[in-house]
Amino acid sequence: MKKLHIVSNRLPYSVDFVDGSPLLTPSVGGLATGMNSVYKEYNGNWIGWPGVASDSQSPADLARIDALLEKEGCVSVHLSNHEVEEFYEGFCNNTIWPLFHYFAQYVDFHAEFWDAYVKVNQIFAHKTLEVIDDGDYVWVHDYQLMLVPEMIKSKKPNITIGYFLHIPFPSYEVFRILPWRDELLKGLLGADLIGFHTYDYERHFLSSVRRLFGYEITFNEIHIDDRIILADAFPMGIDYKKFEDAAIKINQTPLKERSEVHRELEKYFLMDPDRKLVLSIDRLDYSKGIPNRLRAFGRFLENHPEYRGKVTLILLSVPSRNNVIHYQRLRSEVEELVGSINGLYGNINYTPVWYFYRTMPFQNLVELYSMCDVALITPVRDGMNLVAKEYVASRINKTGVMVLSEMAGVVKEMGEAIIINPNDENQTEKAILQALEMPVDEQRKRLATMQERLKRYDVFKWAKEFVGSLQRVNKIQKDFLAKKITPEVGKSIIDKFENAGKRAIFLDYDGTLTGFKADPQEVQPDAELKKLIDELTESEKNIVTIISGRDKETLSKWFEGHQVNLICEHGVWLRRIGEDWNMLTNASNSWMPTIRPVLESYVDRTPGSFLEEKNYSLVWHFRRAEAELGELRAKELRDELTELVANHNLEIMEGNKVVEVKTGGINKGAAANSFLLNMNADFIMGIGDDWTDEFLFKELPETAITVKVGIKHTNAAYKLETVEAVRAFLKKLSKKK
Ligand code: GDG
């Protein structure tokens, strides 16, 4: 593999000045840990902001900081105080953060913030472009840099780009609120692989892409012209061993050598060994649901007086984004709640809530994890929540209970926790009681299962899986390009064409010669297409056949006066130039009265969809219906039809946004071959775009040139990305007489 570079808002080091000299301190966060293993292994750089504003330092100091970072493989992005304010505090934390966490009421829509976001993303992209080489891989992180993938891709298309979003991707109904939603999505779609913590976020993202841009999406692949973009879920893990080892070490340290915090906690248990500790750790952020948690804990003490004096909540709130008004208000609210609970239920020997508003060293953090009986993790929205995983990893004695919000991404991997809706304080209160009273055996059972899972899928595995997928998507893309008709391949096909005496050319219509429109009647051949067909059929050597699923009336009207043969309804009808319509098979349509009402019920239930009736098939079109509803109904319809189809010897064809039921045994491949009989064509070509054309590709003789329009998997030997590319290619052929 070529080099892999990481791009994130912050570098994995913070800069301090000691005696006037800059000093780097490595970050201990999950991202830093996971990525350190990756970018060094693949000889890449880490591009990011070192956390000091460029205009707060002298040029000489900045150069010293850069030099120190360079030694660690890091490349500094310089941002001024003003840029940090408008980009980071502004658009990132006052616009994207609240919106993506469903706090629409907190969102600021300031055009200046957006401008700063664009500008800073450009600075990151330029810096990255300076240090990467052709063919390298780049992994961009998080919501601060959503525009960077496209900014890199548009300058260097041969860079494989991964993007990972650490926060939730909201549902379309929330995402659409943003005036710059199109720009953000376009930015992300510059990536080749887009990763999320959970399948739900992936689903929301794909839904926004589909609804805003209408791109074709197959499972988790987005197809845009000649690009394939993959979206997938990669639940981020932690450095499990680091927490486990730290907990073991603390356990082995004699009491008197343990930290101040630890000794304090021990004193608490000395008063009564039956006492219990409940733990809560997060950044002081409104998404973390700290007030709900406190209210639920207050209710618990209110309704369970027997636990007063016996249970203490340790509330570690890490200062965060203090400049933002909503965070300042939250801090006051939390402090008032703590004061009121302590006032109501505390006494000289008992403080119900121990509140810490600060960060703690890693060692203390693990001490808290290992000493607390219950972890109370109740965010109202959280992309993942690593604290939950760290708590589980630190429980080396295999006891401990987690009360976990269903709104945190981590819940998908922690079915053994007590799961609550954080807005339901009654339920949370009950969960606290259940956690405190859970028998040890059950605790062990639940915890062991979670530990095994987290141990297996740690942050290193997570990073490896992501990089593996990035390599795979690169291969899928290359496979596509391998089938693409490049100028050289095109020339060899044209040479064969030129040397042939009789050339049979089969052309599908919709999606091949012309693009899709909401109304199928709107796609009659335009002047350019008619001219192209006339030029192509000028030479007597060229026998051109339009082979389509459309009905014969429409096609004969559209191609009146042109020298083309027509095969309609997927091969039921053939009309040779100058002759009458002929049936290629003994088809029957006596099944229609049975099937028509089924399809009609789908028309009624799916606004925008409609029914088309051909001689030997019925087609339910959902191109004009709401995309996701259409896909869902199509699936239901296929299921419903399964039995009926078998009873009547019918076939279901899945075209582009259509479900077509037709008489069995008819397909484009069989029709084309019967057309070719006794013709002695020495050049055969078939071009088509959808599933029904795969019959053509499969059944034409092996020597035939088969061409798929689009980038999906295919039986065709070659691919052309768009209708325009098909037309351009046919134009070249038409010049060879
Ligand atoms: C975002 C998403 C997603 C906390 N207090 C101290 C301390 N920490 C460490 C924890 C943990 C990390 O900070 C917090 O991570 P979370 O995942 O809980 O939350 P966010 O900061 O909001 O992170 C989140 C994450 O990105 C990763 O993708 O899970 O959903 O919001 O590692 O240990 N560390 C130290 N002292 C503290 O006082 N040393």
Side-chain angles (χ1 to χ4, degrees):
M1 185 173 160
K2 293 273 206 157
K3 283 177 289 181
L4 171 79
H5 309 273
I6 306 297
V7 190
S8 68
N9 180 44
R10 288 294 304 269
L11 284 171
Y13 292 92
S14 54
V15 182
D16 296 304
F17 280 83
V18 177
D19 300 333
S21 295
L23 195 79
L24 299 186
T25 317
S27 309
V28 289
L31 181 66
T33 317
M35 290 306 104
N36 252 323
S37 66
V38 169
Y39 85 105
K40 289 194 173 143
E41 188 180 333
Y42 293 106
N43 303 316
N45 294 109
W46 189 319
I47 298 121
W49 182 53
V52 282
S54 51
D55 47 2
S56 67
Q57 305 296 327
S58 67
D61 278 345
L62 270 187
R64 284 156 82 193
I65 294 172
D66 288 358
L68 280 177
L69 287 166
E70 203 183 315
K71 280 198 201 134
E72 302 298 330
C74 293
V75 177
S76 302
V77 171
H78 294 296
L79 301 177
S80 67
N81 263 314
H82 186 66
E83 280 162 347
V84 173
E85 212 172 280
E86 298 218 313
F87 151 75
Y88 184 64
E89 287 160 20
F91 199 74
C92 293
N93 291 339
N94 268 309
T95 308
I96 307 184
W97 179 274
L99 188 75
F100 280 38
H101 287 85
Y102 296 76
F103 279 82
Q105 71 278 24
Y106 287 1
V107 178
D108 273 343
F109 299 106
H110 289 318
E112 320 80 86
F113 288 177
W114 166 251
D115 293 343
Y117 188 79
V118 177
K119 186 172 164 222
V120 169
N121 271 251
Q122 260 156 4
I123 299 175
F124 272 86
H126 286 157
K127 200 57 172 185
T128 309
L129 283 161
E130 275 174 23
V131 298
I132 57 179
D133 292 320
D134 282 345
D136 279 358
Y137 286 66
V138 171
W139 184 355
V140 183
H141 286 269
D142 225 1
Y143 66 105
Q144 300 90 354
L145 304 176
M146 291 169 87
L147 305 178
V148 167
E150 203 277 328
M151 287 170 172
I152 297 176
K153 189 59 111 188
S154 57
K155 291 277 176 347
K156 281 198 179 206
N158 66 357
I159 299 293
T160 306
I161 305 171
Y163 175 90
F164 190 85
L165 184 69
H166 289 262
I167 64 174
F169 194 96
S171 92
Y172 169 68
E173 287 302 329
V174 169
F175 183 65
R176 71 191 299 195
I177 296 173
L178 197 65
W180 305 280
R181 61 201 184 183
D182 287 12
E183 287 85 344
L184 282 190
L185 275 194
K186 277 199 190 114
L188 290 180
L189 290 170
D192 300 280
L193 172 67
I194 304 169
F196 303 91
H197 281 305
T198 73
Y199 172 64
D200 282 341
Y201 309 152
E202 174 194 333
R203 214 164 41 80
H204 292 156
F205 167 72
L206 289 175
S207 157
S208 287
V209 170
R210 195 183 277 126
R211 287 161 189 237
L212 290 174
F213 298 144
Y215 291 140
E216 194 168 324
I217 298 172
T218 317
F219 300 111
N220 60 344
E221 278 180 26
I222 307 165
H223 296 173
I224 308 175
D225 297 334
D226 65 349
R227 291 188 55 219
I228 295 174
I229 298 154
L230 223 63
D232 213 339
F234 303 87
M236 185 175 174
I238 55 163
D239 184 351
Y240 190 95
K241 201 160 175 321
K242 184 174 146 194
F243 284 88
E244 190 183 34
D245 287 351
I248 293 171
K249 197 162 161 228
I250 289 165
N251 197 35
Q252 290 165 347
T253 309
L255 196 58
K256 56 180 186 321
E257 290 171 28
R258 292 184 192 175
S259 72
E260 182 66 30
V261 170
H262 205 129
R263 286 202 297 270
E264 278 301 310
L265 294 176
E266 290 292 347
K267 265 193 234 156
Y268 169 77
F269 287 117
L270 277 181
M271 296 179 89
D272 178 354
D274 287 339
R275 278 185 157 188
K276 303 258 184 185
L277 286 175
V278 177
L279 179 65
S280 152
I281 298 185
D282 352 56
R283 276 184 309 102
L284 191 67
D285 192 297
Y286 47 79
S287 65
K288 304 287 183 184
I290 302 167
N292 314 353
R293 192 177 311 169
L294 281 168
R295 279 192 295 267
F297 186 67
R299 283 175 67 128
F300 168 77
L301 291 179
E302 166 75 33
N303 295 331
H304 297 278
E306 70 278 16
Y307 275 101
R308 291 181 206 160
K310 297 232 181 255
V311 179
T312 288
L313 171 67
I314 300 184
L315 186 75
L316 173 58
S317 288
V318 178
S320 180
R321 305 175 194 170
N322 310 333
N323 307 352
V324 179
I325 183 79
H326 303 300
Y327 289 75
Q328 293 161 8
R329 288 199 189 122
L330 175 70
R331 186 179 168 193
S332 311
E333 187 185 358
V334 166
E335 288 174 359
E336 273 169 33
L337 278 164
V338 171
S340 123
I341 295 171
N342 284 346
L344 275 172
Y345 309 109
N347 59 41
I348 188 120
N349 293 319
Y350 170 59
T351 311
V353 184
W354 286 355
Y355 174 63
F356 301 92
Y357 178 67
R358 59 173 162 109
T359 56
M360 287 200 177
F362 173 73
Q363 155 92 3
N364 292 159
L365 197 72
V366 181
E367 280 168 333
L368 290 180
Y369 287 145
S370 37
M371 293 201 66
C372 292
D373 309 272
V374 175
L376 191 55
I377 298 176
T378 63
V380 282
R381 286 286 159 185
D382 212 337
M384 170 54 74
N385 193 303
L386 298 178
V387 168
K389 294 190 170 183
E390 294 167 1
Y391 175 74
V392 170
S394 308
R395 304 298 303 174
I396 50 163
N397 67 355
K398 305 257 186 266
T399 60
V401 186
M402 174 124 58
V403 175
L404 184 59
S405 160
E406 64 185 39
M407 308 292 179
V410 70
V411 78
K412 312 276 174 204
E413 298 164 83
M414 296 208 166
E416 295 79 11
I418 302 177
I419 296 165
I420 50 107
N421 175 344
N423 303 306
D424 187 343
E425 284 161 21
N426 189 21
Q427 190 192 23
T428 311
E429 178 208 321
K430 288 198 177 109
I432 296 171
L433 181 69
Q434 187 191 345
L436 290 169
E437 298 190 346
M438 187 179 284
V440 171
D441 278 357
E442 188 178 341
Q443 293 183 28
R444 291 218 158 100
K445 218 164 88 198
R446 290 184 186 225
L447 208 80
T449 317
M450 292 194 271
Q451 284 188 336
E452 263 168 46
R453 204 176 297 134
L454 293 186
K455 208 175 202 161
R456 252 196 331 265
Y457 201 85
D458 63 7
V459 69
F460 307 106
K461 185 86 193 290
W462 170 78
K464 225 171 138 187
E465 291 262 313
F466 189 91
V467 175
S469 291
L470 205 50
Q471 288 168 314
R472 262 195 305 284
V473 75
N474 180 266
K475 186 171 175 307
I476 297 175
Q477 187 75 52
K478 280 196 177 136
D479 285 349
F480 162 68
L481 294 176
K483 282 197 170 184
K484 192 173 160 174
I485 302 188
T486 57
E488 300 77 59
V489 174
K491 190 176 170 309
S492 81
I493 297 174
I494 292 168
D495 285 349
K496 275 190 203 144
F497 178 87
E498 206 169 2
N499 294 328
K502 204 167 206 181
R503 307 141 178 169
I505 303 166
F506 296 96
L507 302 172
D508 166 54
Y509 186 73
D510 296 83
T512 299
L513 292 178
T514 183
F516 283 99
K517 295 269 162 55
D519 182 349
Q521 290 305 317
E522 274 177 26
V523 284
Q524 324 188 11
D526 51 89
E528 183 196 80
L529 177 59
K530 286 184 173 167
K531 185 161 169 267
L532 175 63
I533 295 285
D534 289 344
E535 284 166 358
L536 195 60
T537 52
E538 217 168 71
S539 165
E540 281 184 4
K541 293 182 191 169
N542 297 345
I543 297 156
V544 178
T545 306
I546 307 289
I547 185 161
S548 161
R550 283 187 176 266
D551 62 73
K552 64 187 196 328
E553 289 72 24
T554 307
L555 280 193
S556 42
K557 194 167 83 200
W558 286 357
F559 287 96
E560 193 63 57
H562 297 277
Q563 296 302 303
V564 285
N565 307 287
L566 300 175
I567 293 179
C568 298
E569 296 198 22
H570 303 294
V572 176
W573 297 99
L574 161 70
R575 191 181 77 179
R576 289 181 193 269
I577 300 163
E579 292 182 11
D580 273 341
W581 285 104
N582 245 316
M583 250 180 109
L584 283 169
T585 57
N586 275 333
S588 146
N589 60 8
S590 59
W591 50 270
M592 283 191 176
T594 319
I595 303 291
R596 193 183 295 110
V598 178
L599 298 192
E600 278 166 353
S601 80
Y602 279 79
V603 172
D604 296 342
R605 290 197 298 134
T606 319
S609 74
F610 61 94
L611 186 64
E612 186 191 2
E613 187 156 344
K614 301 182 194 169
N615 292 311
Y616 293 93
S617 66
L618 289 173
V619 196
W620 179 66
H621 291 261
F622 59 94
R623 192 168 302 134
R624 278 188 288 171
E626 200 279 302
E628 283 171 359
L629 179 65
E631 298 289 350
L632 186 78
R633 290 274 192 265
K635 191 178 167 307
E636 278 174 33
L637 175 59
R638 285 193 297 270
D639 289 348
E640 189 170 341
L641 286 172
T642 312
E643 201 177 324
L644 288 168
V645 158
N647 291 345
H648 291 82
N649 186 28
L650 304 175
E651 278 173 12
I652 304 179
M653 311 272 277
E654 290 170 59
N656 198 328
K657 306 263 188 287
V658 296
V659 176
E660 178 156 5
V661 188
K662 65 174 193 57
T663 309
I666 302 169
N667 68 57
K668 288 183 178 177
N673 278 336
S674 93
F675 180 81
L676 285 170
L677 272 182
N678 307 321
M679 188 189 281
N680 291 330
D682 48 358
F683 176 93
I684 301 170
M685 183 165 79
I687 311 183
D689 73 308
D690 74 18
W691 191 78
T692 65
D693 299 304
E694 292 297 318
F695 286 105
L696 189 66
F697 305 147
K698 254 193 297 201
E699 296 190 25
L700 280 178
E702 251 180 37
T703 50
I705 308 287
T706 48
V707 184
K708 163 93 173 173
V709 188
I711 51 181
K712 281 198 199 155
H713 309 289
T714 180
N715 293 300
Y718 301 104
K719 289 181 180 179
L720 280 170
E721 55 273 45
T722 57
V723 167
E724 289 67 43
V726 173
R727 289 191 182 192
F729 186 65
L730 292 176
K731 185 101 189 155
K732 282 188 193 151
L733 293 183
S734 73
K735 299 237 161 72
K736 308 286 171 190
K737 296 301 169 196

